Amino acid sequence: MSIYGYIRVSSKEQNEDRQLIAMRNAQVPEKSIFLDKQSGKDFERPMYKKMVRRLKKDDLVYIKSIDRLGRNYQEVVEQWQYLTRVKQVDIVVIEMPLLDTRRGKDLVGTFLSDIVLQVLSFVAENERTNIRSRQKEGIEAAKARGVVFGRPPKELPDNFAQIYKRWKAGELKSHEAAKLCGVSRSTFYTKVKDYELQLEMG
């Protein structure tokens, strides 16, 4: 039997130290710890795939919490069943002692483990959905208060009116006019529309 540990953080900026400490406390060999710095939205992760390829029957896999395995409820359940039933390995979720497939190998034990897994996976994904919803509501509320997101619009030169007239008269090509304004051609066209609208409104 070989022992493995799987660690996942969502980005390169996040720190994996807490998960590493948990693996060491579980006496997982350093060489058998696989780390992905990637989103948990699916299982297209290089180190996870590499670990799964190595797994043999009766091996043991440690993860710190169920959301480190993944964040998609359906895929987490499917992957759990693949590991335990197809690869025939055991999984231990360090922060959730009920999710330890070494316990209760009978039908009832397996059933209880699957139920707990499904509930926890659902809760993890539901919380992720709620976070996205709260972020969206916060952004919409901020916009309603007049908060502007993104880069501030680039100021046009004081002589934009003259550049516009020369461009309109055909003395300047669009890329030349844009260069004189210090903006891209697409931004120049946008500014032209805004300027012409202002002229129409008087």
Side-chain angles (χ1 to χ4, degrees):
M1 181 191 77
S2 297
I3 299 175
Y4 296 93
Y6 180 69
I7 294 174
R8 183 186 67 79
V9 289
S10 298
S11 67
K12 292 181 179 179
E13 288 73 31
Q14 286 189 332
N15 196 300
E16 66 273 12
D17 284 353
R18 286 186 302 166
Q19 294 180 70
L20 276 170
I21 290 168
M23 294 299 161
R24 288 168 186 152
N25 290 340
Q27 297 185 329
V28 179
E30 294 277 346
K31 64 179 182 179
S32 298
I33 296 174
F34 292 79
L35 166 65
D36 277 311
K37 294 194 174 188
Q38 199 169 331
S39 165
K41 64 184 176 67
D42 57 42
F43 284 88
E44 293 302 312
R45 303 175 225 141
M47 297 309 291
Y48 179 79
K49 286 184 170 183
K50 185 176 180 179
M51 181 189 73
V52 171
R53 285 196 298 268
R54 290 193 184 181
L55 293 175
K56 296 182 178 61
K57 183 181 177 182
D58 296 326
D59 283 349
L60 177 61
V61 177
Y62 280 93
I63 55 173
K64 189 173 187 293
S65 58
I66 197 66
D67 63 341
R68 297 305 88 201
L69 186 60
R71 289 192 175 273
N72 182 301
Y73 162 64
Q74 184 177 343
E75 288 193 0
V76 167
V77 173
E78 289 175 356
Q79 197 65 207
W80 182 280
Q81 292 173 342
Y82 172 73
L83 293 174
T84 57
R85 296 176 187 178
V86 178
K87 299 292 287 190
Q88 295 183 27
V89 301
D90 281 311
I91 306 174
V92 174
V93 180
I94 296 170
E95 290 186 350
M96 181 57 61
L98 281 172
L99 285 177
D100 183 344
T101 60
R102 297 172 300 178
R103 301 179 181 182
K105 289 287 189 179
D106 59 1
L107 186 61
V108 175
T110 301
F111 173 74
L112 288 174
S113 181
D114 282 353
I115 290 295
V116 172
L117 168 71
Q118 293 196 34
V119 170
L120 288 175
S121 299
F122 173 77
V123 169
E125 182 173 353
N126 195 50
E127 177 60 19
R128 183 168 166 246
T129 302
N130 288 339
I131 289 171
R132 285 202 303 265
S133 178
R134 288 194 293 268
Q135 287 174 337
K136 184 179 179 183
E137 288 172 2
I139 290 170
E140 288 174 353
K143 285 181 177 178
R145 294 195 306 270
V147 177
V148 178
F149 293 88
R151 294 180 181 177
K154 190 160 186 175
E155 293 293 327
L156 290 173
D158 294 334
N159 63 340
F160 177 74
Q162 287 88 348
I163 294 172
Y164 168 79
K165 287 177 183 177
R166 290 178 63 194
W167 171 75
K168 200 73 173 174
E171 295 176 18
L172 292 172
K173 293 182 179 178
S174 58
H175 73 275
E176 294 171 328
K179 188 174 182 180
L180 287 171
C181 291
V183 297
S184 66
R185 193 183 301 185
S186 60
T187 300
F188 174 73
Y189 283 128
T190 300
K191 296 298 181 183
V192 164
K193 288 180 183 178
D194 293 341
Y195 181 70
E196 290 177 343
L197 185 61
Q198 289 177 13
L199 292 177
E200 288 176 11
M201 294 174 67

